[in-house]
Amino acid sequence: MDHPKRQRDAGEARFRQLDSNTDIERSIRRFDAAVDTSLKRIRGFIAEGAPPR
């Protein structure tokens, strides 16, 4: 529940200010190598269990 004295500016200008999406977050990329290694391992398990073509 909002505080009774809190005022909201729901105008379009305020929305545009807050929703600029100018920052690019790349910190997740530090997991790329670990994910690639895991996927390679999983694909290997799948290939071993797959019926011959």
Side-chain angles (χ1 to χ4, degrees):
M1 183 189 266
D2 288 334
H3 190 279
K5 293 184 180 180
R6 180 176 176 182
Q7 293 181 0
R8 289 187 175 209
D9 177 5
E12 186 174 343
R14 180 70 172 151
F15 176 79
R16 289 181 189 275
Q17 178 186 17
L18 296 173
D19 192 47
S20 62
N21 295 322
T22 57
D23 295 336
I24 298 173
E25 177 58 54
R26 291 192 171 100
S27 64
I28 193 73
R29 303 307 299 240
R30 69 180 181 261
F31 299 108
D32 282 357
V35 170
D36 288 344
T37 300
S38 294
L39 284 173
K40 185 176 180 181
R41 185 170 172 236
I42 291 167
R43 287 180 180 132
F45 290 143
I46 292 169
E48 289 173 8
R53 291 184 184 187

